[in-house]
Amino acid sequence: MDQYTLNLLFVGATFALYIGIAIWARAGSTSEFYAANRGIHPVTNGMATAADWMSAASFISMAGLIAFTGYDNSSFLMGWTGGYVLLALLLAPYLRKFGKFTVPEFIGDRFYSPTARMVAVVCLIVASVTYVIGQMTGVGVAFSRFLEVSNFWGLMIGAAVVFFYAVLGGMKGVTYTQVAQYIVLITAYTIPAVFISLQLTGNPIPALGLFSDHTASGVPLLERLDQVVQDLGFAEYTAAQGSTLNMVLFTLSLMIGTAGLPHVIIRFFTVPRVADARWSAGWALVFIALLYLTAPAVGAMARLNLIDTVYPNGTAEEPIAYDDRPEWMQNWEITGLLTFNDANGDGLIQWYNDGSASFADTAEARGWEGSELTVNRDILVLANPEIANLPGWVIALVAAGGLAAALSTAAGLLLAISGAISHDLIKGQLNPSISEKGELMWARIAMAGAIVVATYLGLNPPGFAAQTVALAFGLAAASIFPALMMGIFSKRVNNKGAVWGMLAGLIVTLVYIFLHKGWFFIPGTASFDDADPLLGPIKSTSFGAIGALINFGVAYIVSNATEEPPQEIVDLVESIRVPRGAGAAAADH
């Protein structure tokens, strides 16, 4: 059976499963649509949360970014995992005890202000739409390769599938779909990693194989990788290259952005009790760790395999001829995500760091006139089984896993967006008397609109999938996280402080991102570049931590300059934080 047919079988079977679950668990009420009727078991919710969390950025893009950058991009792992601990300890139980459907609803009630609720809606939509752009980028990459179409058509097909099952099922359908997607994605990520680790090191556990000896050379795998990348003018793989300040801010931005992401927070509204929210978070960390412990090995091994493919006789010898390139390269060229430009006309594929001044003399002596191979970093995990010559069924499994990762998170984000618009904006502000049927209709219309916007922007994303997602984390860190923290742990912050804090954090961070990535992510409109940022070493992906500090500062200054919150709000904050009676969480709305 040829590879294309295998891909269709695996992807088709998993999609039939997801859509079947969506139909079986179709939401018939607003409670089922927004919070699955608060009836999800903690283990089930933990697995669904892990799938919601491990997006295209985690499955497709993160290992690729680690592969091409090395140690510096390990901050993705530290920030995302650390942020989940913050979310589990500081936010999830308290928000579940409050007993509402959405994050803006909590902010509106806690800060006794419809304005605060509307500002929270805006913050949520801006962060979530930016996040969905990253997911749709990943969907386009996966569909384009495995259906052997252009990236444009891959994105269009993916958008249609997301629309069908997310709009139909709501939170109830999405929860059970995400459980199935987690099983698919973790299997698809782990099996190829085990094969490749065995090939390169003889160790079947990828996380241990990363620190084992490279079988072919007899030296430690990471030492071998350091050697070959430096032979081609690239930076040392295992050493820090960038600014320590930027790395710290980036990690912090990812951490607090994680704890402020609405599509993850709303998962904790689906369990019966407050204690279940804590257990859900614990189980989710276990399920997430299975992938995150494997990702560094996947990245390092993929980079080594890619170099060995281009330089089969070693980096000191001539690279392969373009006409002799392996089939996997030909397949990815169809998508436009891997390209070759024969700069010196010799028919060989020279791939090296042509921006390295120290390597320039070596390149000139070898007759090289520029690096001729361009590899989109988002393709590396999906291409990894092909690069390593693994069986066709493994390649097809990875296709299904990549799509499961992207689609599960896209669905969760779209639910957060639809809830904010239909429940918080329309029912909460514009039309409080709207019927339940009308609210569901607007939720689905909002979801469809968000898919259209994200698909359009996904055609020209502001970065690779994980980089685009990092921008969304920065926006959530600067706007939503401080409001939630102050809402739970501060009795002094009032409605005016919360509103001005959220606006200050969001606007300053958004402007900084637009200055570096283009206004509204339109290509050619950027004034700065992350290679040479506006504020010293602070890149646009790291600015969320600064935005959060601005949010906290403005909120406290404004709150202390204005009247204190009413006594009933002080009592509300006290009731959220006191454990007594926490088991009987408010289940009504």
Side-chain angles (χ1 to χ4, degrees), residues 186-201 203-207 209 290-291 293-295 297-299 301 381 384-385 390 394 398:
I186 200 66
T187 305
Y189 203 85
T190 306
I191 288 178
V194 169
F195 272 114
I196 293 168
S197 183
L198 279 169
Q199 280 183 354
L200 293 178
T201 68
N203 194 318
I205 303 173
L290 294 177
L291 188 144
L293 289 172
T294 306
V298 171
M301 292 173 187
V381 169
N384 210 13
L390 296 184
V394 178
V398 170

Side-chain angles (χ1 to χ4, degrees), residues 144-358:
S144 63
R145 164 62 190 93
F146 296 108
L147 296 182
E148 297 182 11
V149 295
S150 69
N151 191 51
F152 172 84
W153 284 111
L155 191 55
M156 293 299 111
I157 295 167
V161 173
V162 172
F163 176 82
F164 181 82
Y165 86 80
V167 170
L168 183 69
M171 178 59 85
K172 185 180 178 185
V174 165
T175 295
Y176 293 108
T177 302
Q178 285 174 336
V179 170
Q181 286 167 328
Y182 176 79
I183 294 168
V184 171
L185 75 86
I186 200 66
T187 305
Y189 203 85
T190 306
I191 288 178
V194 169
F195 272 114
I196 293 168
S197 183
L198 279 169
Q199 280 183 354
L200 293 178
T201 68
N203 194 318
I205 303 173
L208 299 179
L210 181 64
F211 301 100
S212 301
D213 287 345
H214 180 233
T215 305
S217 63
V219 301
L221 181 100
L222 287 172
E223 185 179 320
R224 170 66 179 165
L225 183 55
D226 272 339
Q227 176 190 333
V228 296
V229 296
Q230 290 179 91
D231 285 348
L232 296 171
F234 295 105
E236 187 179 354
Y237 191 84
T238 55
Q241 306 296 332
S243 159
T244 302
L245 172 63
N246 183 73
M247 190 174 188
V248 169
L249 288 175
F250 181 58
T251 305
L252 182 60
S253 181
L254 292 180
M255 284 180 67
I256 61 178
T258 297
L261 277 173
H263 79 288
V264 175
I265 292 171
I266 62 174
R267 289 234 53 90
F268 297 103
F269 300 159
T270 66
V271 292
R273 301 177 302 125
V274 172
D276 295 333
R278 293 187 188 275
W279 279 108
S280 292
W283 279 109
L285 278 169
V286 171
F287 293 129
I288 289 167
L290 294 177
L291 188 144
Y292 273 34
L293 289 172
T294 306
V298 171
M301 292 173 187
R303 180 76 178 273
L304 186 58
N305 273 334
L306 184 56
I307 291 173
D308 286 343
T309 298
V310 179
Y311 297 92
N313 299 313
T315 51
E317 304 297 325
E318 290 294 330
I320 61 168
Y322 178 70
D323 290 342
D324 296 332
R325 70 195 186 284
E327 186 180 357
W328 73 265
M329 280 190 171
Q330 299 173 41
N331 293 335
W332 279 103
E333 281 181 298
I334 295 170
T335 69
L337 299 171
L338 182 147
T339 57
F340 171 69
N341 175 36
D342 195 0
N344 62 358
D346 65 354
L348 304 178
I349 302 176
Q350 282 97 35
W351 182 45
Y352 66 101
N353 182 11
D354 52 10
S356 170
S358 60

Side-chain angles (χ1 to χ4, degrees), residues 45-69:
N45 196 48
M47 193 175 291
T49 305
D52 204 354
W53 175 241
M54 290 189 298
S55 61
S58 291
F59 188 100
I60 295 174
S61 192
M62 180 176 65
L65 289 173
I66 293 173
F68 279 86
T69 304

Side-chain angles (χ1 to χ4, degrees), residues 39-122:
I40 304 300
H41 190 277
V43 177
T44 304
N45 196 48
M47 193 175 291
T49 305
D52 204 354
W53 175 241
M54 290 189 298
S55 61
S58 291
F59 188 100
I60 295 174
S61 192
M62 180 176 65
L65 289 173
I66 293 173
F68 279 86
T69 304
Y71 174 82
D72 281 352
N73 273 345
S74 62
S75 48
F76 279 102
L77 296 169
M78 296 184 290
W80 282 339
T81 309
Y84 213 87
V85 176
L86 280 182
L87 175 61
L89 295 177
L90 298 181
L91 296 181
Y94 303 107
L95 293 173
R96 174 61 192 91
K97 186 180 180 186
F98 195 70
K100 297 298 182 180
F101 280 150
T102 68
V103 170
E105 191 173 15
F106 166 79
I107 291 174
D109 286 3
R110 159 59 183 89
F111 294 109
Y112 53 100
S113 167
T115 303
R117 186 173 181 175
M118 290 306 99
V119 171
V121 168
V122 171

Side-chain angles (χ1 to χ4, degrees), residues 409-582:
T409 303
L413 288 162
L414 291 166
L415 272 171
I417 294 168
S418 67
I421 292 174
S422 63
H423 189 68
D424 294 302
L425 178 60
I426 294 174
K427 184 176 176 62
Q429 190 74 16
L430 302 179
N431 185 10
S433 62
I434 191 172
S435 67
E436 189 169 283
K437 184 177 180 181
E439 189 180 345
L440 273 176
M441 180 191 72
W442 276 108
R444 288 171 170 138
I445 290 171
M447 197 180 279
I451 291 173
V452 172
V453 172
T455 302
Y456 173 75
L457 293 172
L459 293 170
N460 290 291
F464 299 110
Q467 292 171 328
T468 305
V469 166
L471 297 176
F473 277 72
L475 291 167
S479 59
I480 298 171
F481 174 77
L484 293 175
M485 286 293 291
M486 291 183 290
I488 294 169
F489 295 103
S490 172
K491 299 176 185 177
R492 181 62 185 87
V493 177
N494 62 16
N495 53 355
K496 295 181 179 67
V499 168
W500 285 108
M502 284 189 289
L503 286 174
L506 176 68
I507 292 169
V508 171
T509 304
L510 202 54
V511 168
Y512 197 82
I513 288 172
F514 285 161
L515 286 171
H516 293 77
K517 297 296 184 182
W519 290 92
F520 302 100
F521 302 136
I522 297 171
T525 60
S527 303
F528 300 91
D529 187 88
D530 278 334
D532 186 22
L534 170 61
L535 296 178
I538 303 173
K539 298 181 180 181
S540 60
T541 48
S542 309
F543 193 80
I546 305 293
L549 290 175
I550 292 170
N551 186 332
F552 277 118
V554 169
Y556 276 107
I557 290 169
V558 172
S559 294
N560 284 306
T562 52
E563 69 280 356
E564 293 188 3
Q567 185 59 43
E568 61 265 25
I569 298 301
V570 174
D571 295 341
L572 175 66
V573 174
E574 186 69 25
S575 72
I576 294 172
R577 289 180 4 207
V578 173
R580 185 175 61 252

